[in-house]
Amino acid sequence: MKERLGELLLKAKLINEEQLKKGLEEQKKCGGRLGFNLINLGFLKEEDILWFLSKQYGVPTINLNNFEVDEQTTKLIPKDLAKKYSCIPISLMAGTLTIAMVDPSNVFAIDDIKFLTGYSVETVVTSESSFKKSFEKYYRKKKTPNMEINAKDYDFEDQEFSDGSEFNEEFDDSTVDVDDFDNIVKGAIDDVEVVEEQEENGVLDVDAPIVKLVNGILIKAIKMGVSDIHIEPYEKAFRVRYRLDGTLRKVMGLPLKIKNAVVSRIKIMSKLDIAEKRLPQDGRIKLKFGKKRDMDFRVSVLPTIFGEKVVMRLLDKSNLQLDMTKLGFESKSLELFQEAIQSPYGMVLVTGPTGSGKTTTLYSAMSQLNKEDTNLLTAEDPVEFNLLGINQVQVREQIGFTFAAALRSFLRQDPDVVMVGEIRDAETAEIGIKAALTGHLVLSTLHTNDAPGTIGRLLNMGMEPFLVSSSVILIVAQRLARKICSGCQKEIKVPEKALLDVGFSEEELSALKIYRGQGCSDCAGTGYKGRLALYEVMKITEQIKELILTGASINEIKRQARAGGMETLRDSGLQKIRQGIITIEEVLRVTVAN
């Protein structure tokens, strides 16, 4: 390129061969670009080289010596990046950042600046000598780049969490300060690696400030054991919230001006289209945390009126509880569930709202059934955890590969056990029921409030009563409740009327002990740490089958199930209160009276 530039200058008769030779010798001795050395030797004027560069690159020129740049604009590009790419940001208008570059043909530099700032980029050309003077003027006196990550600017609240209840439109735009963010990044960053990311050597560039910030957010979430990360832009604020033990808490405030850079970095990591800001996108990030721990983040990007909101769900296989004896089943309910999944055929349904742990329950069942002589197939959206020995299929509805289509294909794969992530429509329900009636064990989920309500849901989807009664063998309803923190657990006094209203009998009140967490450093002052499931297990007995066939109401089915010994969600909650595991408030929050 340097020789070509000299040849072009010769053809334009701006220099002669002797001047070109001396210019190349000076460049070899002193470094720098050829044009800069020709100007220093007095062979060219700065105006001449700018005119030529403009013609060569097809972009306008600017003499930075005659141009005053706003200080806020220069802060958009850190000093290190400005020096690396020999560029100066000069204006920002209508979402377009104009930068002066010595080499505007450097598309890699332009792409990096787009990713960093989130703005469209336009270039103008400037001379090297003009750039050096401007760089000294705008950057040399700055100790750190504007977007350098340090504890003062970007840190987490470790001591004071907000549960989100006090959040309103009038909330603070300032960043949140604590002391350990730099230590978190410094101590953990060397052990974090992006798997299959399209970067040199596949390793995170820890020097980029935005990269350090995003990595720190992910690392902190892993260390705290959160389930979801929410990154949310608003009109006057940009915040990060974590969902810990089912409750959202604000942990970080960020400068609003870096929202596009943060979202772009996350999109790059999850292989999403960074240019698409109008439509929702879904992706996945896979990290290696330490030598033996893998962590997946399921990423959802949603356009809002103030920018793109990002929600990342953490899928930590090391925290996946596959031992169903530790999930929260009462002894009788666990016995019924294990008996059902050992059946050679039939349908077992797990019901509950989103985030109630249904997938974990199904995974624990599949893990118990996972043997060399058994062919297990699952259709999931998405596949949350990869389990050795189980054939897992990702449903893709956008191309017509639905749960129903997957289930049809499964029946040609000689299956013993089939798991369908969710019964969303009548077609999937019908194929699942037929599979259960023809010698296959089918596990799936539905969204209903309780176990008896699942019967009504299937009938409302158009399933015939005789098919439902013949195929379904067990229904499990579940909810997740927060456990009392063992580090600050303390016995409390509760009025007898309140205990009776919850569902305790008068006979047991005298011996009943009620506990609550007082709040400590282990639980961030909440009194809760960890979660477990409450279960309602309804076996489809001959009496219930008869009620289904005769068109009985859901209430009649529920009464019969309770008469047959079914423990409701409230019963499960009361039992865990007796054991000192959860609070009365949690039981009232996630269950209704019998």
Side-chain angles (χ1 to χ4, degrees), residues 250-509:
K250 179 184 173 184
V251 293
M252 194 175 187
L254 296 171
L256 191 59
K257 61 189 175 184
I258 69 167
K259 66 178 182 181
N260 291 329
V262 171
V263 173
S264 293
R265 174 59 192 165
I266 294 170
K267 284 183 175 180
I268 292 168
M269 295 178 74
S270 48
K271 300 179 178 63
L272 300 178
D273 183 358
I274 65 167
E276 179 56 75
K277 298 184 178 182
R278 302 166 299 170
L279 297 173
Q281 298 187 69
D282 295 309
R284 197 169 186 134
I285 299 171
K286 189 175 182 65
L287 297 183
K288 286 187 177 299
F289 191 68
K291 294 182 179 180
K292 298 181 179 180
R293 187 176 178 187
D294 290 341
M295 177 69 70
D296 283 0
F297 295 81
R298 198 170 76 203
V299 181
S300 173
V301 181
L302 178 71
T304 71
I305 59 174
F306 297 117
E308 293 175 286
K309 172 178 177 174
V310 179
V311 175
M312 293 181 278
R313 170 155 290 186
L314 281 71
L315 305 174
D316 187 357
K317 190 173 182 179
S318 65
N319 288 337
L320 179 62
Q321 180 56 263
L322 297 179
D323 184 354
M324 63 178 62
T325 62
K326 298 179 181 179
L327 294 178
F329 280 103
E330 310 305 329
S331 57
K332 180 182 177 182
S333 297
L334 177 60
E335 184 180 335
L336 291 172
F337 184 64
Q338 289 181 322
E339 179 185 325
I341 63 174
Q342 294 297 333
S343 175
Y345 57 85
M347 179 177 279
V348 176
L349 297 173
V350 181
T351 182
T354 301
S356 59
K358 300 187 299 296
T359 301
T360 300
T361 300
L362 288 179
Y363 276 165
S364 68
M366 295 293 282
S367 178
Q368 187 163 319
L369 297 171
N370 189 7
K371 300 174 183 176
E372 285 190 3
D373 61 354
T374 306
N375 182 19
L376 297 94
L377 293 162
T378 75
E380 304 172 61
D381 185 21
V383 176
E384 295 191 3
F385 298 99
N386 300 322
L387 303 175
L388 181 65
I390 300 176
N391 303 285
Q392 296 171 274
V393 174
Q394 170 71 55
V395 169
R396 302 184 186 277
E397 294 199 356
Q398 63 270 28
I399 61 172
F401 188 46
T402 62
F403 282 116
L407 196 46
R408 284 196 201 92
S409 299
F410 285 0
L411 297 179
R412 296 190 289 271
Q413 289 283 317
D414 185 31
D416 296 302
V417 181
V418 172
M419 187 188 101
V420 182
E422 183 182 345
I423 295 178
R424 295 178 178 173
D425 51 46
E427 185 181 15
T428 308
E430 183 179 2
I431 299 171
I433 285 175
K434 289 180 179 178
L437 291 173
T438 54
H440 306 92
L441 179 63
V442 179
L443 310 179
S444 191
T445 70
L446 271 175
H447 290 284
T448 59
N449 291 326
D450 57 13
T454 305
I455 300 296
R457 174 72 176 133
L458 290 172
L459 296 176
N460 289 337
M461 294 174 80
M463 300 300 101
E464 294 291 343
F466 74 91
L467 290 176
V468 174
S469 63
S470 302
S471 60
V472 181
I473 58 177
L474 189 86
I475 300 172
V476 178
Q478 67 180 81
R479 299 289 189 279
L480 286 180
R482 293 178 293 175
K483 295 194 296 184
I484 299 172
C485 174
S486 59
C488 58
Q489 185 182 43
K490 185 178 180 181
E491 185 178 354
I492 61 170
K493 296 293 183 181
V494 179
E496 288 189 358
K497 185 179 185 306
L499 295 174
L500 293 172
D501 290 342
V502 174
F504 291 107
S505 64
E506 290 188 14
E507 292 76 17
E508 63 180 319
L509 294 185

